Amino acid sequence: MIDFRALIRATFVGIVIQFAMVVGAHFLPGLRAHYYLFALMMIAATAGYVYAADTGRGFFVGATAGAIAGGICGFIALLISTLLHDIPQSFIPIDTAICVLTGAVGGLWGQVSANMKRAGW
């Protein structure tokens, strides 16, 4: 079962970092041109990782909650970027799907981290 307090915390962390990235990309066009999608993906993966490493409730729950956290923070970042006229609206669906996927992968690796911590590594 998903721990909603941890999910909200991980999603909030992702939203704050995504917001900083979006603002930076708005004022630094080189960042937007070369690193925007990579940063969007890595921050979504980090949100998933934070949830799963914090709770350690299993691979399925970690991937599911990671997908939720990554998707939400990625969608909000894309929405803000669209409102700032940095990206077209047509990018929102595919980029949100990419954030959902990378959030799930981050959740899987977060569970690996939780397992290693539990084993004493």
Side-chain angles (χ1 to χ4, degrees), residues 47-65:
Y49 183 91
V50 165
Y51 172 83
D54 189 30
T55 60
R57 294 190 176 216
F59 286 102
F60 180 76
V61 174
T64 303

Side-chain angles (χ1 to χ4, degrees), residues 3-102:
D3 181 355
F4 287 103
R5 289 177 56 114
L7 179 62
I8 290 169
R9 191 170 42 245
T11 305
F12 181 74
V13 166
I15 290 170
V16 168
I17 299 170
Q18 291 279 24
F19 181 76
M21 187 269 303
V22 166
V23 170
H26 180 70
F27 292 108
L28 301 169
L31 177 67
R32 183 175 59 239
H34 299 290
Y35 303 110
Y36 185 82
L37 184 58
F38 179 76
L40 189 75
M41 292 166 41
M42 288 300 102
I43 296 167
T46 302
Y49 183 91
V50 165
Y51 172 83
D54 189 30
T55 60
R57 294 190 176 216
F59 286 102
F60 180 76
V61 174
T64 303
I68 293 168
I72 291 172
C73 71
F75 177 75
I76 290 174
L78 292 163
L79 190 63
I80 293 169
S81 276
T82 301
L83 293 174
L84 292 173
H85 302 289
D86 289 339
I87 62 169
Q89 288 181 350
S90 62
F91 284 13
I92 292 177
I94 188 69
D95 287 356
T96 301
I98 290 169
C99 288
V100 168
L101 176 66
T102 56

